[in-house]
Amino acid sequence: MLYSDNPKIIGLNIGSSEKNKTKRWPIQNFYKLAEKSQIDNPEWKFVVLAGPKDQDVYSELSKMYSNAPLDNIIFSGNNNSISQFISLVNKIPIVVFADTFGMHTAIALRKNVISLHGPQPEQEIYLYNQGEKVHLSLECAPCFALRIDKCVNTQRLQCMKSMDIGLVLEALKNETKIIN
């Protein structure tokens, strides 16, 4: 069971809308984040958040987990209704999202948000002093690419693929200090 007063529960929204898959942080990075945290921050538990259209990344993460289970990952399913998804987010004090419906939901619910920005502009998101934005300062970003073939960088989606888990981990450490 999840409790909103437990600051060690962290939501990981692994998906995005169908039309904006370029916003996704690589699924391997979510797994590596949980894996590294299991060693460095064993009190953290990660709740995987995904929607019905995120079956591909949800299955991929499930497969990684099956091959090398981690004690700190909780799968919440990916067939929740919108109200169930919002209820889940409401029970989680800190969430990691790309610029998605889930991120906007978490901001509206006044959750601490770690927002990951690549092809979409981080300047257009206001977190109301409830979190941190993580992005790389690439010359090509933001490019607003909705599809990988529209990415202007020769290393397609470098803005998301090169976003190191260390940056996200540091932001999470800052946020867990704030809400403790």
Side-chain angles (χ1 to χ4, degrees), residues 1 5 22 28 40 49 67 76 96 98 109 112 116 143-144 161 180:
M1 182 167 248
D5 61 344
T22 57
Q28 302 85 344
D40 298 344
L49 302 166
N67 291 335
S76 65
V96 178
L109 292 170
N112 286 52
L116 311 177
C143 69
F144 298 92
K161 292 178 181 175
N180 278 337

Side-chain angles (χ1 to χ4, degrees), residues 123-177:
Q123 305 92 321
E124 292 183 1
I125 302 299
Y126 190 71
L127 301 179
Y128 301 93
N129 298 315
Q130 293 287 128
E132 292 186 38
K133 299 174 188 177
V134 178
H135 61 94
L136 301 178
S137 297
L138 299 177
E139 205 172 287
C140 59
C143 69
F144 298 92
L146 297 179
R147 296 189 334 246
I148 193 165
D149 64 323
K150 298 295 183 186
C151 178
V152 297
N153 193 309
T154 55
Q155 295 178 359
R156 300 286 190 216
L157 295 179
Q158 179 187 10
C159 55
M160 294 306 281
K161 292 178 181 175
S162 295
M163 193 180 295
D164 186 77
I165 65 164
L167 293 171
V168 178
L169 232 134
E170 195 58 38
L172 279 172
K173 286 178 185 174
N174 292 339
E175 290 309 305
T176 57
K177 287 178 194 171

Side-chain angles (χ1 to χ4, degrees), residues 41-107:
N41 303 91
E43 70 281 9
W44 293 0
K45 302 294 180 209
F46 294 97
V47 177
V48 178
L49 302 166
K53 295 190 177 182
D54 301 321
Q55 181 61 45
D56 57 337
V57 287
Y58 193 83
S59 294
E60 194 175 339
L61 185 62
S62 296
K63 186 176 180 181
M64 285 181 218
Y65 178 83
S66 294
N67 291 335
L70 298 173
D71 295 334
N72 61 348
I73 293 182
I74 303 161
F75 287 88
S76 65
N78 70 316
N79 286 315
N80 296 311
S81 69
I82 290 174
S83 60
Q84 289 169 324
F85 181 86
I86 291 169
S87 293
L88 267 171
V89 171
N90 196 34
K91 297 214 177 275
I92 301 170
I94 303 172
V95 288
V96 178
F97 291 104
D99 181 1
T100 62
F101 164 79
M103 183 196 69
H104 294 285
T105 299
I107 292 169

